[in-house]
Amino acid sequence: MTLGTIHLCSALSYYILGYVLIQDGSPWAAVTTVIIFIGISAMILRLDLSLTWREHAMAKACLMG
């Protein structure tokens, strides 16, 4: 369930980049919304999974990459 929600946030980020950035031509709104969705994904990852510090840092790097 956690990973599905994280993937949903990623999919919404890509959709927003395509729709808001390209079609609407609003880069500030697109980047801000993508940062919010990445933050939501990172919070879900932190709260729902029991990881070591190193595993958490690796997962966060993968989310932001």
Side-chain angles (χ1 to χ4, degrees):
M1 196 78 154
T2 299
L3 296 177
T5 307
I6 290 171
H7 285 295
L8 176 67
C9 288
S10 296
L12 287 172
S13 295
Y14 286 124
Y15 175 76
I16 287 170
L17 280 177
Y19 186 78
V20 175
L21 183 64
I22 308 240
Q23 280 190 337
D24 292 345
S26 180
W28 181 249
V31 169
T32 304
T33 309
V34 168
I35 290 172
I36 290 170
F37 275 120
I38 290 174
I40 290 170
S41 296
M43 282 192 318
I44 290 171
L45 186 73
R46 179 72 174 176
L47 293 173
D48 285 348
L49 298 178
S50 177
L51 302 173
T52 64
W53 181 85
R54 187 176 202 168
E55 291 170 340
H56 182 14
M58 182 73 82
K60 201 181 245 186
C62 288
L63 273 178
M64 293 184 190

